[in-house]
């Protein structure tokens, strides 16, 4: 089992807390889930409209929004930030206070609550039974036993403070979209670091800042090795890039979030060497960094990244302990994609390929590698927006073909997708426990 950061192992929640929040009201009678989701996402620094979310969630006047439609959409926004939403029971005052105080007091995020609208005290006298509704919690006071919520229903909503006992009694079954911080949010395949002929994983623990090496093909926690003692929670977009140092060992690159510099960490046996700065600034304006193999034809591995501001896609040719002048290979729209992953040749043309997932609908696409470019995309499959930390690794399944691994956001289970000549096979559970 991979390391799991239990809530009891995190810093204790303060006795009370309240987030800064700009409240929103729903534009329609049936937009409560998209509106509450928009407010919750704002506490992550994500700005998205309720209308955009309603479209992505399939919200309708007849049926509103189903939870299983909403969950993958919101996770598509927060997974890259190292968090997940998941359904949780909050049917007692103690479980309600525990969940809200952790999310608000420790993570500084606002959970979404699925409630029965007519049971809320400020809706006393409302007709109807089991009218599903969504609100958010953004404050609490443990001593007073109260929760502060924002209800997006304009007629009676807004900010309200309610006893945790009362709020718990108003909840739908498993109606709380709690927030979880991934313990090992950043996974990267690093080739063979242990010398046993199989590719290994590295994972950054956001809570401690430590970096761990998980030997393949099982990636068992019992075998993991500490290769970075601290500071890795200040790095982002970890990706294996192949050998840039010329020593025959695969290397790691990562962005320093504080100043946007890019760093190369030379691979070594069961460790990493002294890092080398290979990008002086601006890399915090890039997203979805991934090693792609050799697209420039010079025998050296290259790097791909998307520009956050305009959605362009760029190829950075690999050099010796450096990257060359970047080449634009995508003119727009790449800020609507995530989970970019270099996957080797799955199109059969002898060149490494790129996969990516649409943020709005979770469809996975493959972009064939070409000469300093990627070709026209082909759809690989739907429903990938509930999977995070996609990583193309070595042969996990023992069939001689490299495989894809990913973590189910709401459960923390890692799955392997066996490599095939034109894509990937149905997933098989590999190991649980990859959520914090």
């Amino acid at each position: 089992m991979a390391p799991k950061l239990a809530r009891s192992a995190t810093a204790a929640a303060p006795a009370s807390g309240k987030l800064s929040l700009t409240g929103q009201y729903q534009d329609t009678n049936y937009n409560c889930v998209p509106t509450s989701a928009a407010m919750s996402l704002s506490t992550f620094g994500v700005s998205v409209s309720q209308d955009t979310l309603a479209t992505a969630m399939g919200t309708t006047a007849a049926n509103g929004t189903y939870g299983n439609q909403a969950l993958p959409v919101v996770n598509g926004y927060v997974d890259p930030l190292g968090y997940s939403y998941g359904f949780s029971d909050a049917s007692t005052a103690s479980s309600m206070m525990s969940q809200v105080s952790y999310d608000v007091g420790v993570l500084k995020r606002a959970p979404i609550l699925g409630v029965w609208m007519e049971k809320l005290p400020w809706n006393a006298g409302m007709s109807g039974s089991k009218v599903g509704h969504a609100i958010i919690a953004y404050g609490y006071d443990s001593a007073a036993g109260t929760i502060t919520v924002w209800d997006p229903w304009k007629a009676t909503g807004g900010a309200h403070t309610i006893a945790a006992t009362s709020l718990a009694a108003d909840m739908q079954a498993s109606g709380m979209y709690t927030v979880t911080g991934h313990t090992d949010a950043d996974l990267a395949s690093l080739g063979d670091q242990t010398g046993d002929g199989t590719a290994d994983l590295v994972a950054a623990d956001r809570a401690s800042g430590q970096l761990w090496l998980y030997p393949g093909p099982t990636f068992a926690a019992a075998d993991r090795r500490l290769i970075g003692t601290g500071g890795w929670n200040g790095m982002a977009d970890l990706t294996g890039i192949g050998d840039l140092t010329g020593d025959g060992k695969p290397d790691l690159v990562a962005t320093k979030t504080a100043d946007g510099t890019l760093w190369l960490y030379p691979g070594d046996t069961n460790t990493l060497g002294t890092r080398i700065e290979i990008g002086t600034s601006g890399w915090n304006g890039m997203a979805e960094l991934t090693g792609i193999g050799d697209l420039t034809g010079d025998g050296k591995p290259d790097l791909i990244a998307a520009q956050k501001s305009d959605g362009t896609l760029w190829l950075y040719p690999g050099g010796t302990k450096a990257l060359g002048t970047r080449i634009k290979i995508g003119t727009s729209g790449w800020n609507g994609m995530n989970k970019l992953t270099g996957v080797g040749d799955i199109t059969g043309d002898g060149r490494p390929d790129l996969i990516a997932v649409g943020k709005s609908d979770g469809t996975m696409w493959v972009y064939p590698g070409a000469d300093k470019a990627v070709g026209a995309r082909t759809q690989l499959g739907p429903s990938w927006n509930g999977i995070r930390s996609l990583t193309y690794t070595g042969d996990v399944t023992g069939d001689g073909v490299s495989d894809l691994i990913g973590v189910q956001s709401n459960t923390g289970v890692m799955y392997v997708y066996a490599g095939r000549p034109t894509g990937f096979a149905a997933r098989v559970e590999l190991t649980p426990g990859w959520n914090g």
Side-chain angles (χ1 to χ4, degrees):
M1 173 183 277
K4 182 172 182 178
L5 182 65
R7 293 188 175 217
S8 59
T10 65
S16 62
K18 190 174 183 181
L19 301 176
S20 176
L21 180 78
T22 300
Q24 300 180 33
Y25 292 104
Q26 58 197 80
D27 292 338
T28 68
N29 291 344
Y30 49 87
N31 256 18
C32 60
V33 172
T35 307
S36 292
M39 287 188 286
S40 178
L41 288 169
S42 75
T43 65
F44 293 83
V46 174
S47 178
V48 58
S49 72
Q50 60 177 282
D51 291 337
T52 297
L53 291 173
T55 299
M57 293 174 179
T59 302
T60 65
N63 298 312
T65 312
Y66 292 108
N68 59 359
Q69 294 174 299
L71 195 62
V73 174
V74 291
N75 273 329
Y77 287 95
V78 302
D79 282 348
L81 305 177
Y83 297 88
S84 289
Y85 289 92
F87 295 121
S88 181
D89 177 64
S91 58
T92 66
S94 60
S95 62
M96 171 66 70
M97 185 61 72
S98 174
Q99 304 277 21
V100 172
S101 64
Y102 176 78
D103 282 3
V104 173
V106 177
L107 296 182
K108 310 300 182 185
R109 315 299 181 198
I112 305 167
L113 310 180
V115 297
W116 299 121
M117 189 174 185
E118 76 281 1
K119 289 187 175 183
L120 296 171
W122 47 93
N123 290 329
M126 176 180 286
S127 61
S129 175
K130 292 193 173 181
V131 179
H133 189 48
I135 63 178
I136 67 164
Y138 69 104
Y140 68 96
D141 187 322
S142 297
T146 57
I147 306 290
T148 301
V149 301
W150 183 278
D151 183 341
W153 181 250
K154 195 167 187 178
T156 58
H160 292 279
T161 297
I162 180 174
T165 303
S166 177
L167 184 57
D170 298 341
M171 292 289 292
Q172 300 177 37
S174 297
M176 188 173 189
Y177 297 63
T178 53
V179 181
T180 299
H182 305 153
T183 303
D184 291 306
D186 291 317
L187 304 180
S189 180
L190 199 52
D192 179 21
Q193 295 292 308
T194 57
D196 62 359
T198 60
D200 308 312
L201 288 180
V202 292
D205 188 321
R206 288 190 184 273
S208 67
Q210 295 173 323
L211 187 71
W212 294 87
L213 175 68
Y214 292 82
T218 61
F219 314 121
D223 300 327
R224 70 175 185 164
R225 300 158 194 187
L226 184 65
I227 60 172
T229 57
W232 285 90
N233 46 6
M235 307 300 292
D237 285 314
L238 276 65
T239 186
I241 196 174
D243 180 22
L244 279 187
T245 55
D247 61 1
K249 296 177 181 178
D251 306 317
L252 179 73
V253 296
T255 302
K256 187 175 181 180
T257 55
D259 60 9
T261 51
L262 186 70
W263 295 85
L264 172 69
Y265 295 82
D268 205 342
T269 303
N270 295 320
T271 189
L272 295 173
T274 302
R275 70 181 187 175
I276 303 164
E277 186 174 336
I278 60 172
T280 56
S281 65
W283 284 89
N284 46 8
M286 307 301 293
E288 303 292 337
L289 276 63
T290 184
I292 190 62
D294 180 21
L295 284 187
T296 55
D298 61 1
K300 295 179 180 178
D302 305 318
L303 182 72
I304 279 179
Q307 187 93 31
K308 293 179 182 178
S309 60
D310 61 8
T312 51
L313 189 69
W314 296 86
L315 174 68
Y316 295 81
T320 301
K321 301 180 183 179
L323 296 174
T325 302
R326 69 181 189 173
I327 302 164
K328 185 186 290 187
I329 60 172
T331 56
S332 64
W334 286 89
N335 46 6
M337 309 298 292
N338 62 11
K339 303 177 176 65
L340 273 63
T341 308
V343 293
D345 179 24
I346 62 172
T347 56
D349 61 2
R351 293 181 181 271
D353 303 316
L354 177 71
I355 60 172
V357 175
K359 289 181 180 179
S360 62
D361 61 6
T363 301
M364 178 183 282
W365 301 85
V366 57
Y367 298 80
D371 182 19
K372 300 177 183 177
V374 290
R377 69 183 188 178
T378 301
Q379 184 173 328
L380 282 184
S383 304
W384 284 86
N385 46 6
I387 305 297
R388 64 172 175 85
S389 301
L390 285 181
T391 304
Y392 191 64
T393 186
D395 179 20
V396 174
T397 55
D399 60 1
V401 181
S402 292
D403 305 314
L404 185 71
I405 61 171
V407 176
Q408 184 76 40
S409 295
N410 60 335
T411 64
V413 175
M414 178 182 284
Y415 290 90
V416 58
Y417 303 81
R420 293 291 181 264
T422 56
F424 303 98
R427 70 184 189 179
V428 176
E429 182 174 334
L430 189 60
T431 178
W434 288 85
N435 269 0

